[in-house]
Amino acid sequence: MKVGRIVLLVVVILAWVVAAGGLISGIFDVSAFPEGLRNILELWPDPGTMLGTVVRFGAVAVLIAAIVAYRVLGNADKRREQDQIESVRVTHVD
């Protein structure tokens, strides 16, 4: 499950980047930014288009789902570790 949590962490980071990029390009005039930053921010669709709205809401939805899944996997790991500790305790008591 550790690999699954790492993959979900990468998904969370990418979703934050997409959501932040969509937000920045929606608020500010990207053409006024320096060229390097403008090239990065122009990867997102224009904020006034339907595709831009879908990308922003999709990024937020993926972000929320990935965070919830990350927490669920973390709790499952904790329960599995507790079960292993309990099984060792029961074995040593007998």
Side-chain angles (χ1 to χ4, degrees), residues 15-67:
W16 270 113
V17 168
V18 170
L23 180 66
I24 290 170
S25 65
I27 294 174
F28 299 105
D29 182 23
V30 178
S31 62
F33 289 174
E35 186 176 341
L37 186 57
R38 186 175 50 226
N39 289 339
I40 292 171
L41 290 175
E42 287 177 350
L43 295 174
W44 286 271
D46 291 332
T49 63
M50 182 64 157
L51 183 60
T53 304
V54 169
V55 167
R56 280 196 301 274
F57 280 110
V60 171
V62 167
L63 178 65
I64 291 169
I67 289 172

Side-chain angles (χ1 to χ4, degrees), residues 5-29:
R5 290 190 78 199
I6 292 170
V7 169
L8 282 173
L9 185 60
V10 170
V11 169
V12 167
I13 292 170
L14 290 175
W16 270 113
V17 168
V18 170
L23 180 66
I24 290 170
S25 65
I27 294 174
F28 299 105
D29 182 23

Side-chain angles (χ1 to χ4, degrees), residues 61-77:
V62 167
L63 178 65
I64 291 169
I67 289 172
V68 169
Y70 187 81
R71 294 286 309 235
V72 168
L73 286 177
N75 290 338
D77 281 344

